[in-house]
Amino acid sequence: MRVEIWSDIACPWCYVGKARFEKALAAFPHRDDVEVVHRSFELDPGRAKGDAGPVIPMLAKKYGMSEAQAQAAEDNVGAQAAAEGLEYRNRGRDHGNTFDMHRLLHFAKEQGRQDQLVQIFYRANFAEERSVFTEGDERLVELAVEAGLDADAARKVLADPDAYAADVRADEREAAQLGASGVPFFVLDRKYGVSGAQPAEVFAQALAQAWGERSPLTLIDQGQGDADACGPDGCAVPQH
Amino acid sequence: MRVEIWSDIACPWCYVGKARFEKALAAFPHRDDVEVVHRSFELDPGRAKGDAGPVIPMLAKKYGMSEAQAQAAEDNVGAQAAAEGLEYRNRGRDHGNTFDMHRLLHFAKEQGRQDQLVQIFYRANFAEERSVFTEGDERLVELAVEAGLDADAARKVLADPDAYAADVRADEREAAQLGASGVPFFVLDRKYGVSGAQPAEVFAQALAQAWGERSPLTLIDQGQGDADACGPDGCAVPQH
């Protein structure tokens, strides 16, 4: 079974929602048969690389609230993160463009290190004082290395803005096609969706339901029967 | 809609089946909304890199037939390829390990050049006199460049046996899970399967059927309603 998680590193509910999903997954009897894939979704794709700003004034402006109210909202997210056992630095967090992080996450997928890197990016963005947006490529390279990736390879990905860009864009197009307008957005076997940082119980139910309804493929052959194919024992010898 | 095609470059029916599928796709009204993805399947994964041999004696030995009979079978495949407008060199073809080609195809996917490279590999293997198995990495680099990939990047992928290896293995595990024991194997939206180089009409029917039954995701929220999420307009302010 495959679970695809659309999310953004800049999205606090994605950080919290992933922990809730993982709690449900850890208790799921068939967890070893569940493949989890990260999918890209940018909350702020129009922002320029390196352009970052503090979160509180941005929230205040966006919602027409005072900075004190915005801080209270951020404190509340922090409390919910803490309830999931996650570190959350609810003072001084900044926000910015995450495109390069998504490109690196696709590179990490190729290397079998995607889940490690997602978690490291979240922790760096939400729990550490240093910015992931303003310290240039080397900050991301450092985090990539922590996830087990090669520094030079990560550097090369970052230096080439086209590297893995098509993957990020494809994920974003798919999110729109699947009806996801916000994240986190969880898709189970392309059949069930879970939108938002739902409680772990909802993820548990979704996993059980999707697992119970796994269906084998329906083969279409229009009465032609076995067609010409090759397998480990060789290729069909044409009868035509 | 997504069509995944499990195949091997060493599989003549994959070469023929892809052409038949593409004929159906070209006539499909929603063809621009169909994403085609190549998936890896190795017919002969145990064979060492660089170890290759002529096809005819291999076929004769495998099926306990004379070399003349094996040649007749190969001629027949060639005739079917020709019927699809494909070049096919039915004398002197060799066979070998395709793992490196599959790794390169995953790299090409990241660069948006996968379909080009599949086609170039097929043509090189089935229509050209030069071997894709015995001339070393530079032969594959040359073909990768023809598909629009960077020579040094392709060289680097080939030099590192771990690069994209996990992707190839993951595809092969998925093929087994989906019940594919031979290739080509076409999977439409993980719902319908078409096994083998079926006639174009079968692919046309499969496309129409899968398209007609596209279903939106069923959202699971256990009565919790909208959960905390972030979108382009910002993040939900916690109400809890």
Side-chain angles (χ1 to χ4, degrees):
Chain A
M1 191 162 76
R2 187 162 72 149
V3 179
E4 296 161 284
I5 310 179
W6 271 265
S7 55
D8 193 6
I9 298 305
C11 157
W13 292 122
C14 299
Y15 181 46
V16 173
K18 181 169 187 278
R20 291 178 180 166
F21 167 76
E22 283 171 353
K23 190 191 280 182
L25 183 63
F28 185 59
H30 309 286
R31 60 185 171 273
D32 292 339
D33 295 310
V34 177
E35 178 201 6
V36 178
V37 182
H38 163 83
R39 297 286 187 195
S40 302
F41 190 104
E42 292 166 279
L43 291 178
D44 201 358
R47 181 174 281 264
K49 178 173 175 168
D51 173 26
V55 158
I56 300 301
M58 179 274 291
L59 286 177
K61 189 172 168 197
K62 188 168 259 171
Y63 296 109
M65 47 168 73
S66 70
E67 293 208 2
Q69 286 170 315
Q71 182 60 59
E74 180 76 350
D75 290 347
N76 208 332
V77 179
Q80 299 218 24
E84 299 304 330
L86 298 171
E87 285 182 77
Y88 196 93
R89 194 174 161 269
N90 50 358
R91 291 288 182 284
R93 184 165 72 80
D94 63 355
H95 67 115
N97 182 296
T98 54
F99 189 58
D100 281 355
M101 286 188 269
H102 285 294
R103 294 196 298 109
L104 271 182
L105 284 165
H106 278 281
F107 167 63
K109 179 164 179 250
E110 298 309 326
Q111 307 284 321
R113 317 297 296 174
Q114 191 183 49
D115 194 57
Q116 289 88 337
L117 189 58
V118 172
Q119 205 52 41
I120 285 168
F121 277 162
Y122 277 142
R123 198 213 55 223
N125 187 37
F126 293 117
E128 293 183 17
E129 189 168 348
R130 291 175 58 192
S131 175
V132 293
F133 300 110
T134 59
E135 294 188 23
D137 286 357
E138 283 306 305
R139 172 68 171 138
L140 301 185
V141 169
E142 199 178 292
L143 296 168
V145 167
E146 205 181 316
L149 296 169
D150 177 69
D152 281 340
R155 218 165 264 138
K156 209 169 159 186
V157 169
L158 289 167
D160 174 7
D162 289 336
Y164 302 94
D167 293 284
V168 177
R169 298 300 175 221
D171 281 357
E172 294 178 334
R173 273 197 308 277
E174 278 203 303
Q177 283 161 4
L178 291 165
S181 57
V183 284
F185 195 81
F186 301 75
V187 175
L188 295 83
D189 271 351
R190 293 284 167 124
K191 191 169 180 183
Y192 290 101
V194 177
S195 175
Q198 301 270 357
E201 297 69 38
V202 173
F203 291 114
Q205 187 202 327
L207 285 167
Q209 195 156 339
W211 183 266
E213 295 178 25
R214 277 171 312 145
S215 51
L217 295 174
T218 303
L219 286 182
I220 295 180
D221 67 7
Q222 224 177 30
Q224 305 277 346
D226 282 351
D228 301 316
C230 300
D233 298 328
C235 296
V237 175
Q239 306 296 323
H240 311 270
Chain B
M1 191 162 77
R2 189 162 70 149
V3 179
E4 296 160 286
I5 310 178
W6 271 265
S7 55
D8 194 5
I9 298 304
C11 157
W13 291 122
C14 299
Y15 180 46
V16 173
K18 182 168 186 279
R20 292 178 180 165
F21 167 76
E22 283 170 354
K23 190 190 283 182
L25 183 63
F28 185 58
H30 308 287
R31 59 185 171 273
D32 293 338
D33 294 309
V34 177
E35 178 201 8
V36 178
V37 181
H38 163 83
R39 298 285 187 196
S40 301
F41 191 107
E42 293 165 276
L43 291 178
D44 200 357
R47 180 174 283 264
K49 178 173 174 167
D51 173 25
V55 159
I56 300 301
M58 179 275 290
L59 286 176
K61 190 172 168 197
K62 187 167 259 170
Y63 295 108
M65 48 169 71
S66 70
E67 294 209 1
Q69 286 170 314
Q71 183 60 59
E74 179 76 351
D75 290 346
N76 209 331
V77 179
Q80 298 219 23
E84 301 301 332
L86 299 170
E87 285 181 78
Y88 196 94
R89 193 174 161 270
N90 50 358
R91 290 288 182 282
R93 183 165 73 81
D94 63 356
H95 67 114
N97 183 297
T98 54
F99 189 57
D100 280 355
M101 285 188 269
H102 285 294
R103 294 196 299 109
L104 271 183
L105 284 165
H106 279 281
F107 167 63
K109 180 165 178 248
E110 299 308 327
Q111 307 283 321
R113 317 296 296 175
Q114 190 182 49
D115 194 58
Q116 289 88 337
L117 189 58
V118 172
Q119 206 50 42
I120 285 167
F121 278 163
Y122 277 141
R123 197 214 54 224
N125 187 37
F126 293 117
E128 293 183 16
E129 187 167 350
R130 292 175 59 191
S131 174
V132 293
F133 300 110
T134 60
E135 294 188 24
D137 287 355
E138 283 307 306
R139 172 67 172 138
L140 300 186
V141 169
E142 197 179 293
L143 296 168
V145 167
E146 204 181 316
L149 296 168
D150 177 70
D152 281 340
R155 219 165 262 138
K156 211 170 159 186
V157 169
L158 289 167
D160 173 7
D162 290 337
Y164 302 93
D167 293 284
V168 177
R169 298 301 175 221
D171 281 357
E172 294 178 336
R173 273 196 308 277
E174 279 203 303
Q177 283 161 6
L178 290 166
S181 57
V183 284
F185 194 81
F186 300 76
V187 175
L188 295 82
D189 270 351
R190 293 283 168 125
K191 192 169 180 182
Y192 289 101
V194 176
S195 176
Q198 301 270 358
E201 297 70 37
V202 173
F203 292 114
Q205 187 202 327
L207 285 167
Q209 193 156 340
W211 182 266
E213 296 179 23
R214 277 171 312 142
S215 53
L217 295 174
T218 303
L219 285 181
I220 295 180
D221 66 8
Q222 224 177 30
Q224 306 276 347
D226 282 351
D228 301 317
C230 301
D233 297 327
C235 296
V237 175
Q239 307 295 325
H240 312 272

